[in-house]
Structure formats: structure tokens, C-alpha cells
Amino acid sequence: MLQINNLHATIGGTDILKGLSLTINAGEIHAIMGPNGAGKSTLAYTLGGRPGYEVTEGSATFDGQDLLALEPHERAAAGLFLGFQYPVEIPGVSNLQFLRESLNAQRRARGEEPLSGAEFIRLAKEKAALLKMDMDMLKRPVNVGFSGGEKKRNEMVQMGIIDPKLALLDETDSGLDIDALRIVGEGINTIMRKPDRAVLLITHYQRLLDLVKPDFVHVLAGGRIVRTGGAELALELEEQGYEAAA
Ligand SMILES: Nc1ncnc2c1ncn2[C@@H]1O[C@H](COP(=O)(O)OP(=O)(O)OP(=O)(O)O)[C@@H](O)[C@H]1O
Ligand SMILES: [Mg+2]
């Protein structure tokens, strides 16, 4: 589904990704761990097409398409979803408006019929219930005044509604209380653990991985993947730290 080959990316002239290669097949859940500043968020942003992230070498294909040649909205319409480490606030636009616009823009780009208001509300209610999110929260402006954990849970409601093929989730577990962590973990499993879906989870902690059992765990250090293993690698890292593992 996603094939990244020798990816080099710079921000403001500084090299951050330095020859990163990674393949994610449909049906797989991958976790990326690694020290602060290693380039994990940079990888997510580069794949999402955030302005300022310049690819200087290498390639990334998504379902056989040249991902890097697509505009950010085209990447979303192709089925790529980004969950942010620091979700943005959008004053003046309600969550429901934002999500309906996003979903229908993507559906139109794929040649599908947009959802009617009633169909959309039914979908939003179903996903909000799955993530135990109060519908009143979805009527509020996007993330404005949300607590850290509420923003993360809101990201998962967005993911449920958008129903992407590939979700890149950047520290979705950070700041979640114990109950919210379980809800989010189960949400990821319910929404994304399917033969035609895939997930890349960026995380610092084992807790989420106990719930969303990854098929592969990678260590990203110095802008490239330095080690790959199974779920047990996360446990080893937790015990020994990155220096010993890399
Ligand atoms: N706009 C920028 N200009 C210069 N350097 C930047 C910029 N944005 C990020 N960097 C640098 O790129 C490096 C990688 O940052 P990135 O956010 O990808 O790390 P990370 O692996 O996600 O870390 P963390 O675990 O702390 O979230 C860091 O050294 C950071 O300071
Ligand atoms: Mg980061």
C-alpha cells in the first residue's frame, strides 16, 4: 500500500530524513518509535504534503501512485489520513461542518456522491458513539478549548468518519487518560484493523501497543529506520532504551 524508498527530506535547508525506507502492506499495523527529534513527525508531515517539507531524494508510492506528486488534498482523497501530534484549532468552524466538508470533498474527488445532511449525521453519531465522544463536542469549533486528551479523541472520530485506507497517527496516545487510551486503542482496532486498511502509529509508549498489537515495530533514529522487529521489539526498547537497541 505504501512504499517509501530512500526518502530524504529537508526543512528550511536542514536535512531531517536521510534515506528512510519503509513498506507497509494492506492489513498491516506498523509502529514507529525513536528518540525525540529523530524525524518521526517529519516523516508524517512529508507524507502528508505539509508546505516547507522538501523531498530532495527518494520516492513514496501509495497504492502504486506517486504520492509525492500529489497535492495534500489529493493525498487525502486517495485515502491517506494524518493524525497530528498537536491537533490544530479552527475557530469559527464546527467539527461537524469541518468533517462533512472534508468527507464530501474527498468523495467528490473520488467520483462518489456526497452524503446528505441526514446521512452524515447518522455516520457522525455512530463514530462518536464508538469513541464515546459526546455529540455536543462535535458541534463545537474544531478543537477550540478542547483538552489535550479530547483533541486526540476528536482526531479518532475524524478518522472514523473519513474512513481512510492508511492512517498515520502521530502520538495519538500522548496525553490520554487510562480510559481514553483504551477507547482510542479499541477505536483504532475497530476502524482500521481490516484487510484493506493499514496504520502507521508513531508512539513513545508500550501502552498503546498492548491494545493495538502492531505487526512490525521500527526504530527511527537520525532520519532513517535503523531497526525493525515484531511487537517484542517495543518491549526490548522499553527495557534497554534506544542506544542499546540501535
Ligand atoms: N521548521 C523547522 N526548522 C528547523 N528544524 C526543524 C523544523 N521542524 C523540525 N525541525 C527539526 O527536525 C528534527 C526532527 O523533528 P521531528 O518533529 O520530526 O522529531 P520527532 O521524531 O517527531 O520527535 P518527537 O519524539 O519529539 O515528537 C528536530 O531536530 C527538529 O528540531
Ligand atoms: Mg514528533
Side-chain angles (χ1 to χ4, degrees), residues 36-37 39-42 45 85-86 170-171 202 204:
N36 294 134
K40 302 180 299 298
S41 295
T42 302
Y45 285 137
Q85 185 171 1
Y86 304 107
D170 193 357
E171 297 198 26
I202 296 170
H204 286 295

Side-chain angles (χ1 to χ4, degrees), residues 35-107:
N36 294 134
K40 302 180 299 298
S41 295
T42 302
L43 173 64
Y45 285 137
T46 303
L47 295 175
R50 182 174 174 148
Y53 291 71
E54 198 194 335
V55 173
T56 52
E57 209 183 318
S59 63
T61 59
F62 181 48
D63 272 348
Q65 291 188 82
D66 179 0
L67 183 68
L68 304 174
L70 302 178
E71 294 295 324
H73 68 272
E74 294 171 326
R75 300 182 195 199
L80 185 71
F81 177 88
L82 230 64
F84 295 103
Q85 185 171 1
Y86 304 107
V88 288
E89 301 186 1
I90 314 179
V93 181
S94 83
N95 263 308
L96 286 172
Q97 283 171 310
F98 171 72
L99 283 168
R100 189 172 165 203
E101 278 305 313
S102 311
L103 178 63
N104 280 340
Q106 292 183 19
R107 290 179 68 95

Side-chain angles (χ1 to χ4, degrees), residues 13 151 195 241-242:
K151 287 180 182 171
Y242 291 121

Side-chain angles (χ1 to χ4, degrees), residues 114-233:
L115 291 191
S116 71
E119 286 168 327
F120 175 75
I121 289 294
R122 206 174 313 131
L123 178 68
K125 278 189 175 153
E126 180 199 325
K127 301 306 175 187
L130 179 69
L131 289 139
K132 301 202 167 44
M133 173 82 108
D134 197 333
M135 275 303 277
D136 285 343
M137 298 279 285
L138 292 186
K139 293 176 187 153
R140 284 169 52 180
V142 180
N143 288 323
V144 175
F146 282 25
S147 76
E150 287 168 350
K151 287 180 182 171
K152 296 294 171 134
R153 203 187 294 204
N154 198 29
E155 296 266 298
M156 293 300 95
V157 176
Q158 290 179 13
M159 183 177 80
I161 289 172
I162 297 291
D163 193 20
K165 284 188 194 160
L166 174 65
L168 307 177
L169 304 180
D170 193 357
E171 297 198 26
T172 297
D173 50 345
S174 73
L176 293 180
D177 70 41
I178 295 161
D179 292 342
L181 184 71
R182 191 174 38 76
I183 292 163
V184 163
E186 286 169 2
I188 294 172
N189 287 331
T190 307
I191 298 162
M192 298 301 296
R193 214 359 133 190
K194 296 179 184 161
D196 54 350
R197 300 282 187 263
V199 180
L200 180 61
L201 283 176
I202 296 170
T203 184
H204 286 295
Y205 304 106
Q206 175 60 33
R207 317 167 297 184
L208 183 65
L209 304 183
D210 286 337
L211 296 161
V212 184
K213 299 188 169 52
D215 302 290
F216 299 95
V217 173
H218 310 276
V219 180
L220 200 170
R224 58 170 79 88
I225 303 288
V226 296
R227 218 179 134 187
T228 293
E232 73 292 342
L233 177 55

